[in-house]
Amino acid sequence: MTVDGWATNGSIRLHYLDNQCEMSELPLIMIPGLSSNAEDFRLMIEALAPQRALSVSLRGRGKSDVPDTGYRFEDHIGDVDAIVDQSGFQHVCLFGHSIGINYAIGYALEHPDRVKGIIVGGIPPNTRPSLLIGHSE
């Protein structure tokens, strides 16, 4: 059964969906694209059972708070960090979809000891990897 979960990043309340399966060895955290939210991945996290899986709504999306400011790359990485930390996970695998790929890679670069894998989806076929996180070649 999927349930609503909540985490906070500073004063921002963040929503996520959790399939609440028994803690598997490596939980999967799904990070949606620009106009998506946790609900878009509900069926997927339910289908992954018995694998533990969460789907997140970053700030400004879904049921998460919509602040007037605070939409920098670093703010979104902080949202992912807050959800991973407050969920109690030591290690995770991240699935980034579309712009969520950037946040997954950004989080992994800041926390390489916690990320054991990254799955990407919804990436344009001609995208150079360096463009995913805003670096030029």
Side-chain angles (χ1 to χ4, degrees):
M1 181 170 98
T2 302
V3 299
D4 292 306
W6 299 93
T8 56
N9 181 8
S11 63
I12 307 300
R13 191 167 183 236
L14 304 163
H15 174 252
Y16 62 90
L17 292 174
D18 186 345
N19 71 4
Q20 285 199 318
C21 289
E22 290 296 317
M23 181 58 85
S24 53
E25 189 172 310
L26 190 62
L28 179 65
I29 309 290
M30 299 183 151
I31 306 168
L34 184 61
S35 61
S36 300
N37 61 62
E39 293 292 337
D40 293 322
F41 293 100
R42 178 185 287 274
L43 294 177
M44 191 178 293
I45 66 170
E46 289 173 353
L48 284 168
Q51 170 71 37
R52 180 76 180 270
L54 275 66
S55 60
V56 306
S57 290
L58 300 175
R59 62 185 62 216
R61 301 174 185 108
K63 296 178 184 176
S64 291
D65 286 350
V66 182
D68 291 333
T69 61
Y71 292 92
R72 297 172 307 136
F73 180 76
E74 296 81 9
D75 298 321
H76 289 90
I77 300 302
D79 291 348
V80 174
D81 189 33
I83 291 169
V84 171
D85 264 357
Q86 293 169 40
S87 296
F89 302 139
Q90 296 301 313
H91 301 101
V92 296
C93 180
L94 301 173
F95 169 71
H97 181 262
S98 189
I99 193 75
I101 297 167
N102 295 19
Y103 305 139
I105 292 171
Y107 178 82
L109 289 171
E110 287 190 16
H111 303 279
D113 56 320
R114 298 186 84 178
V115 178
K116 299 301 181 187
I118 298 175
I119 303 165
V120 299
I123 182 173
N126 294 328
T127 302
R128 293 189 318 262
S130 62
L131 295 179
L132 290 175
I133 55 174
H135 294 274
S136 60
E137 293 181 351

